[in-house]
Amino acid sequence: MTTYKIAVVGGSGPQGKALAYRFAGAGHTVTLGSRSAERAEVAAEAVNAKLAGNGVVGAADNGTALQGADVVLLAVPYEGHAELVASLAGNLAGKVLISCVNPLGFDKRGPYGLDVAESAAEEAARLAPAATVVGAFHHLSAPNLWASADLLDHEDVLVCGDDSGAKAVAIELAKAVTGRDGVDAGALRLARQLEPLTAVLISINKAYKTRSGVRISGLPE
Ligand SMILES: NC(=O)c1ccc[n+]([C@@H]2O[C@H](COP(=O)([O-])OP(=O)(O)OC[C@H]3O[C@@H](n4cnc5c(N)ncnc54)[C@H](OP(=O)(O)O)[C@@H]3O)[C@@H](O)[C@H]2O)c1
């Protein structure tokens, strides 16, 4: 297994924290980032308590967290995403940037994919052109990731991107969550389909009072 140095931008939120827990538990080196180093510290304390010695995560402001990382997980809300990525573009140069950002809206009829001109992942690629962007981990629920250390082996991680090397990184990192390689779902533009699919899952969760996920059939063993 390749061990990656991973920075989580937005690591104080449930999704960043929970994926950090999984990555660190699988042996990767993880630093949680936040706009406030103090909030990152609080989140890191929670993750480290949960890891109970099976890994340890660090904490810093977002910009500092990126230093020394070879992989960056972007786990911030779509609102504010463009400004944040633009502000970090210089620090993101040369890194694999994995976006799990879902541009979603909610109204009285439930969740829906926002009508956006480009996916969040494509937006990140445009705003941080010296990073190599992939989309992945959109469909895993933070509560499921956080609930236990058991592998979510009934779910698949769908990965899209235009660079095969960067995609291979996310495909390998998926093992920390599902125990299996992620699934190569195609080009980065397919993030336009993957991101809003999360609205369907949230809707199913509401209807069935569950935490649904995605599993692809027909793959070779
Ligand atoms: N939650 C889930 O189950 C889940 C599942 C799949 C995908 N996702 C996606 O993962 C991303 C993160 O989800 P989340 O639930 O963890 O989100 P969140 O709690 O709303 O936000 C995560 C962190 O982002 C930072 N942040 C908030 N607003 C920001 C802004 N305007 N600019 C820069 N940073 C900001 C905050 O950290 P600081 O204030 O400390 O900087 C916050 O703790 C979202 O795009 C979501 O669609 C979430």
Side-chain angles (χ1 to χ4, degrees), residues 31-221:
T31 305
L32 296 182
S34 160
R35 289 169 295 178
S36 133
E38 290 72 27
R39 279 199 294 280
E41 273 298 340
V42 171
E45 277 169 28
V47 176
N48 288 331
K50 199 158 173 68
L51 283 165
N54 296 314
V56 61
V57 303
D61 63 86
N62 284 325
T64 306
L66 296 183
Q67 293 168 13
D70 38 33
V71 178
V72 178
L73 174 73
L74 197 50
V76 296
Y78 179 65
E79 300 71 28
H81 163 263
E83 292 77 6
L84 183 72
V85 174
S87 74
L88 295 173
N91 310 42
L92 289 167
K95 306 194 189 289
V96 172
L97 178 57
I98 302 176
S99 171
C100 67
V101 175
N102 292 314
L104 301 182
F106 297 84
D107 65 15
K108 59 184 180 203
R109 290 161 65 198
Y112 61 97
L114 294 177
D115 193 9
V116 290
E118 57 188 351
S119 64
E122 290 171 294
E123 184 173 69
R126 178 172 56 78
L127 294 169
T132 313
V133 177
V134 298
F137 303 106
H138 303 99
H139 309 128
L140 298 160
S141 100
N144 273 358
L145 290 164
W146 189 250
S148 82
D150 292 345
L151 290 170
L152 300 178
D153 56 5
H154 57 294
E155 301 201 24
D156 276 318
V157 173
L158 306 188
V159 181
C160 65
D162 294 334
D163 180 282
S164 57
K167 256 199 306 201
V169 172
I171 285 171
E172 184 171 13
L173 279 174
K175 277 189 190 154
V177 177
T178 64
R180 292 186 310 284
D181 280 349
V183 177
D184 183 345
L188 192 67
R189 66 183 179 183
L190 292 178
R192 293 180 208 178
Q193 278 71 47
L194 295 184
E195 292 171 2
L197 178 61
T198 307
V200 178
L201 298 176
I202 296 170
S203 192
I204 291 168
N205 292 349
K206 203 169 167 206
Y208 292 90
K209 298 193 181 359
T210 188
R211 290 178 194 151
S212 59
V214 169
R215 181 81 198 255
I216 304 297
S217 63
L219 293 171
E221 283 303 313

